[in-house]
Amino acid sequence: MKKIIYMTAVGFLLIVLSACGSSESEAGGEEKEADEITVGYFPNINHAAGMVAEEKEMYQEQLPDGTKVNYQYFPDGSAFMTAVETGEIEGGIVGPGPAMNHYVSGAAINVVAAGSKGGTVIMARNDSNISTPEDLKGKTFISPRVGCTHDVQFETMMKEEFGMTSERVQGDMKHVTGKPATYASMFEAGKVDAATVPEPWASVIEAEGSGKVLVDTPEVAFGETLPAAVFVTSEKLKEKSPELVQNLVDAHKQATDFINENPEEAKTIAQDKIKEITDQGLEKEVIDGAWERIDFSYEVDESVLQDFANSSYNLKFLEERPDLTGLVDKKFLKNG
């Protein structure tokens, strides 16, 4: 049965390293048979590998004959990670922030592959008189959450390249938060001057004409190296059924290769799946624009995740520098 799970995020670390999305969710568990698994992902473009694998039945292809595959769709990284930890799902695709957060909080989980990279864009309102990042002094910017992936990318870039920080750390930029789907209307209303935006919402703003690209993905901090999505499973499952984890990773790799080899068909699958799950359609020009800024790759570099976590600490989103040693396990990528 297809389900969207909602639950409430808890703890300071859950906020500062969580996925850039809603934090309202609740989870319920269902007992599953031994030959039944559940895979989770988010209904957004960075998780297209999950959509393709579902549509093309790639998990069924890689798993033993007769295995039933269920899917759960999550609007929130904390909900996803809790489902992994409780065994409600065997694994799936989530943002890097929730994976790092739950790991440093003691969760026995592993990142076994990446899902995609890129997709963060810095946008400026058309009539904001902002033409360069230096013009952001005294301006108001918006991100999905305080200390979320896109906020950390933006604030890292501004501090390291332009010596500018937010009022949170006695800087010159005012910071507010809100859902990315509302950014275009907030630009139209003049409520914010700039935004650090995950795709596809940057392409939505472009298509609607309320804002312009100030800094594109390659120039944003960690823009082309930080995974925008990772494939996660539990250490318990890895120890108990390594062959199952291998099957899941093999299917994920197959889906990623399909996306890169068949981009137009993959776009159609993502467009249709997002509409089916969320009842919200995205125009083809938006899908095309977002696709240009995203690199679908399953290769993962643990040093980039550590550097990102260090930036969160340096920007004072975290009180202690997190140690991500052991989070990433690449042996399933190598074995496949």
Side-chain angles (χ1 to χ4, degrees), residues 263-299:
E264 293 307 315
E265 185 176 356
K267 289 178 189 178
T268 299
I269 291 172
Q271 188 176 26
D272 292 345
K273 205 69 187 172
I274 290 170
K275 174 67 173 176
E276 175 190 334
I277 297 170
T278 68
D279 200 31
Q280 293 180 330
L282 294 174
E283 298 295 331
K284 188 178 187 305
E285 67 175 312
V286 170
I287 298 284
D288 289 341
W291 217 267
E292 288 297 316
R293 294 186 172 111
I294 297 173
D295 174 27
F296 293 97
S297 171
Y298 45 74
E299 298 295 343

Side-chain angles (χ1 to χ4, degrees), residues 58-124:
M58 292 175 176
Y59 292 114
Q60 289 92 327
E61 182 178 333
Q62 296 292 340
L63 289 160
D65 290 345
T67 304
K68 180 181 179 182
V69 182
N70 302 312
Y71 296 91
Q72 290 184 7
Y73 311 121
F74 294 81
D76 177 276
S78 180
F80 175 98
M81 291 307 307
T82 299
V84 171
E85 292 175 61
T86 60
E88 186 174 356
I89 65 175
E90 276 63 40
I93 305 172
V94 69
M100 290 187 282
N101 161 58
H102 280 249
Y103 183 77
V104 300
S105 297
I109 55 96
N110 284 119
V111 169
V112 292
S116 61
K117 300 173 184 176
T120 296
V121 186
I122 311 305
M123 306 289 292

Side-chain angles (χ1 to χ4, degrees), residues 204-336:
V204 168
I205 291 171
E206 286 183 291
E208 295 188 0
S210 59
K212 60 187 178 182
V213 175
L214 184 64
V215 183
D216 217 336
T217 296
E219 305 306 319
V220 180
F222 308 105
E224 294 186 306
T225 58
L226 180 70
V230 291
F231 198 100
V232 170
T233 189
S234 68
E235 288 187 2
K236 180 178 179 180
L237 180 67
K238 188 179 71 172
E239 294 169 2
K240 179 182 177 182
S241 303
E243 67 285 350
L244 173 57
V245 176
Q246 187 66 62
N247 294 150
L248 295 175
V249 172
D250 288 346
H252 177 68
K253 290 173 65 177
Q254 183 182 356
T256 305
D257 289 339
F258 180 92
I259 290 170
N260 290 314
E261 293 165 7
N262 307 275
E264 293 307 315
E265 185 176 356
K267 289 178 189 178
T268 299
I269 291 172
Q271 188 176 26
D272 292 345
K273 205 69 187 172
I274 290 170
K275 174 67 173 176
E276 175 190 334
I277 297 170
T278 68
D279 200 31
Q280 293 180 330
L282 294 174
E283 298 295 331
K284 188 178 187 305
E285 67 175 312
V286 170
I287 298 284
D288 289 341
W291 217 267
E292 288 297 316
R293 294 186 172 111
I294 297 173
D295 174 27
F296 293 97
S297 171
Y298 45 74
E299 298 295 343
V300 58
D301 184 348
E302 56 266 48
S303 67
V304 174
L305 294 176
Q306 184 64 63
D307 288 344
F308 176 82
N310 292 343
S311 282
S312 296
Y313 169 76
N314 293 335
L315 288 164
K316 302 187 185 303
F317 289 117
L318 301 176
E319 295 181 356
E320 297 182 6
R321 187 184 300 275
D323 182 2
L324 302 183
T325 302
L327 170 62
V328 176
D329 187 343
K330 296 194 285 189
K331 68 171 173 285
F332 298 99
L333 286 175
K334 296 175 182 177
N335 293 341

